[in-house]
Structures are given as structure tokens and as C-alpha cells.
Amino acid sequence: MDAGAKRMAAIEKALAENTEITEQIRDFLAAFRGGFRVLGWLGSGAKWVGGLAGAAVAIYSAVYAITHNGNLPGK
């Protein structure tokens, strides 16, 4: 009976350690999930800013060409 109790105690100890490691991994992955969500928001904002910048450059080039006899900036 003593050997069975020691074996059970060892199994319970290993299970407790495994549970602790599993909780740490779960918390780590949850933090990554939150980080990727923030990066997604930043990516959406960057996409909008890029589109607005492209439109601004197009408008500037058109206005410059109209006011400089059809020549584009830098030519």
C-alpha cells in the first residue's frame, strides 16, 4: 500500500506541475492574441492613411500639372 501511495503522490505532483505550465502557456497565448488584435487595428489605420496619402499625392500632382503647363513635379 505504501508504494501505491508514493506513486499516487508522484502522479499528483506531476499533474500539478503540468497544470501550472499549461496555465502559463494559455496566458502567454492570450497575450499574443491581444497583441495581434492591436496590430490588426494599427494595420487598418495604416491602410487608411496610405490611401489618403496616395489621394493627396494624386491631387497635388494634378494641380501642379494644371498650373505648370502640363509638366509634372520634378521634370
Side-chain angles (χ1 to χ4, degrees):
M1 188 74 141
D2 188 38
K6 286 181 183 178
R7 183 171 177 238
M8 184 58 80
I11 290 172
E12 288 175 351
K13 180 182 176 192
L15 182 62
E17 290 173 358
N18 188 17
T19 302
E20 182 180 342
I21 291 170
T22 302
E23 288 174 352
Q24 291 174 353
I25 291 172
R26 186 190 66 217
D27 294 342
F28 184 72
L29 291 175
F32 262 114
R33 189 179 320 133
F36 281 122
R37 188 172 296 141
V38 170
L39 288 176
W41 294 335
L42 292 175
S44 295
K47 183 171 58 173
W48 277 98
V49 169
L52 292 175
V57 168
I59 291 170
Y60 171 77
S61 296
V63 170
Y64 188 93
I66 290 170
T67 58
H68 290 87
N69 297 324
N71 295 323
L72 293 177
K75 296 225 175 195

